[in-house]
Amino acid sequence: MTITLEQRLDAFRRLDDAKLTFARRDWFPGTSGNLSIKLSSDPLQFAVTASGKDKTKLSPEDYLVVDGDSRPVEPTALKPSAETMIHVVVYRQIPQAQACFHVHTVWNNLISELYFGQRAFSIQGQELIKGLGIWEENARITVPIVENFADIPTLAAAIEKVITPEVPGVLIRNHGIYAWGDSDFAAKRHLESFEFLFEYHARWLQLRQAAAVAP
Ligand SMILES: CSCCC(=O)C(=O)COP(=O)(O)O
Ligand SMILES: [Zn+2]
């Protein structure tokens, strides 16, 4: 399937929007993070951030289009994100995913550290769970946590094993979160909801601890 120039530029524009929104929240410290938007499923092709860029800025060299082997679909001097293989795994495992966003934040790192030795973070009864598209009464969500393997194929394989369509995200211990959705708007909503739940939970634990030791 041929991706038109218009489709590609539209994806790049939408990535610009997401990138600037997250950058304003300081969600890309030290060039961390990567973003993608799917262009076609069969064959898999998606627009992804170039590796190592300052993601708080816009430049004509921010994105490229890659295939299901994480390779650029045309000659380019740009290198795709070092974590492109994780986006491939998300698009292959969750066919309805149309966008996949990855950020490193203090709150998502803290949650993964607080649950050190555990393979998931669970939370119940918070309104923002609805932001993840889960509307049951008193719902509980369980976000899988994988270890931060330096070898990306190993990390991608670990992620492939634990992600499901029910919960649109996965934590990488002391690294960050990947969240996805059936549109870039949904992926952004999911990421914001996860970040709210992580910050809320970490602050709640802190307050509870302070109250327990107060005289
Ligand atoms: C400096 S952050 C280390 C790499 C990383 O985890 C990340 O998210 C950014 O890598 P990219 O190749 O996508 O710039
Ligand atoms: Zn990362």
Side-chain angles (χ1 to χ4, degrees):
M1 183 191 165
T2 310
I3 310 294
T4 65
L5 181 61
E6 200 171 290
Q7 285 172 312
R8 170 189 299 235
L9 292 179
D10 178 60
F12 290 0
R13 266 193 302 271
R14 288 187 283 131
L15 286 169
D16 275 347
D17 277 354
K19 193 170 67 154
L20 290 181
T21 303
F22 301 151
R24 278 193 288 269
R25 297 174 189 166
D26 292 328
W27 283 2
F28 295 127
T31 76
S32 63
N34 34 75
L35 310 172
S36 73
I37 288 182
K38 190 156 86 179
L39 291 163
S40 76
S41 297
D42 191 14
L44 178 60
Q45 293 191 13
F46 57 93
V48 68
T49 43
S51 185
K53 299 281 177 177
D54 180 349
K55 285 147 196 134
T56 67
K57 301 217 160 53
L58 301 184
S59 93
E61 307 211 307
D62 285 342
Y63 314 109
L64 64 161
V65 178
V66 296
D67 63 20
D69 294 320
S70 307
R71 293 205 190 94
V73 297
E74 58 188 23
T76 171
L78 299 179
K79 272 181 59 183
S81 165
E83 296 172 350
T84 299
M85 198 180 278
I86 298 173
H87 295 257
V88 169
V89 157
V90 168
Y91 291 129
R92 293 235 189 270
Q93 286 294 110
I94 317 286
Q96 61 271 41
Q98 295 292 333
C100 178
F101 298 154
H102 168 57
V103 295
H104 299 201
T105 70
V106 171
W107 297 113
N108 65 40
N109 273 252
L110 272 176
I111 286 293
S112 71
E113 176 72 9
L114 276 166
Y115 290 86
F116 189 79
Q118 297 184 42
R119 293 182 181 181
F121 159 72
S122 208
I123 188 165
Q124 182 170 24
Q126 271 294 318
E127 183 66 8
L128 249 291
I129 290 175
K130 291 178 183 164
L132 302 170
I134 298 162
W135 288 76
E136 293 132 52
E137 187 79 23
N138 201 26
R140 167 175 292 277
I141 56 144
T142 299
V143 187
I145 305 175
V146 298
E147 301 311 318
N148 187 25
F149 300 105
D151 178 61
I152 298 299
T154 307
L155 178 59
I159 288 174
E160 185 173 21
K161 280 194 201 124
V162 297
I163 59 177
T164 64
E166 284 74 42
V167 174
V170 58
L171 275 166
I172 307 171
R173 182 123 38 224
N174 289 329
H175 177 156
I177 187 169
Y178 276 84
W180 52 85
D182 61 9
S183 65
D184 40 319
F185 173 68
K188 173 174 171 282
R189 192 184 70 232
H190 295 161
L191 191 56
E192 290 169 345
S193 302
F194 281 126
E195 289 298 323
F196 175 93
L197 294 167
F198 298 152
E199 180 173 352
Y200 167 80
H201 189 71
R203 285 181 185 270
W204 176 80
L205 287 177
Q206 205 177 9
L207 287 172
R208 195 179 62 164
Q209 177 76 9
V213 296

